[in-house]
Amino acid sequence: MHRPLKPQWFQILLALSDKDRHGYGIQRKVLEQTDGLMRLWPTMLYRSLAKLGEGGLIVQVDPPADDADDERRQYYALTPAGRHLLTEEAQLLARWAAAAQSGAS
């Protein structure tokens, strides 16, 4: 994966960091994480999920037992490589933010 990550890729990985989610759940979580500033439309979301899957950062998983009523939902989870890259990317962004804050004061 190219670094830095595309913003939507970072947000998708972040949305999957606490639990497995289906596409609509990822969309809602990204809206929440970004205070409504990033909306992932279905085409962008599913292209991004495909790229992240090809990169070995996420995988499709079985739905949780409490959501077995809708077989159309596809759930996604972070792989260990995805979690590692998310951590590295968050550290990179934190360094950049700190540099910007120190330069702005």
Side-chain angles (χ1 to χ4, degrees):
M1 286 274 132
H2 296 286
R3 300 277 314 278
L5 290 176
K6 293 181 179 183
Q8 68 268 22
W9 292 1
F10 177 78
Q11 291 298 329
I12 291 169
L13 295 178
L14 185 59
L16 293 172
S17 66
D18 63 341
K19 71 177 199 175
D20 303 346
R21 296 181 195 278
H22 53 74
Y24 183 63
I26 294 169
Q27 285 178 309
R28 288 191 329 226
K29 184 67 174 177
V30 168
L31 271 174
E32 177 188 312
Q33 289 169 176
T34 63
D35 296 323
L37 296 175
M38 182 181 287
R39 180 177 298 273
L40 298 178
W41 298 103
T43 302
M44 177 190 283
L45 173 66
Y46 288 102
R47 279 187 190 152
S48 296
L49 290 171
K51 288 288 188 187
L52 293 169
E54 290 168 11
L57 303 176
I58 64 170
V59 291
Q60 242 182 291
V61 294
D62 292 330
D66 61 349
D67 193 27
D69 55 321
D70 190 348
E71 65 278 350
R72 294 173 298 166
R73 288 184 177 161
Q74 297 176 9
Y75 276 78
Y76 301 90
L78 277 181
T79 63
R83 190 167 300 281
H84 179 76
L85 184 61
L86 175 62
T87 300
E88 284 185 346
E89 191 76 5
Q91 291 169 348
L92 174 67
L93 294 173
R95 285 194 311 271
W96 288 356
Q101 289 173 342
S102 68
S105 45

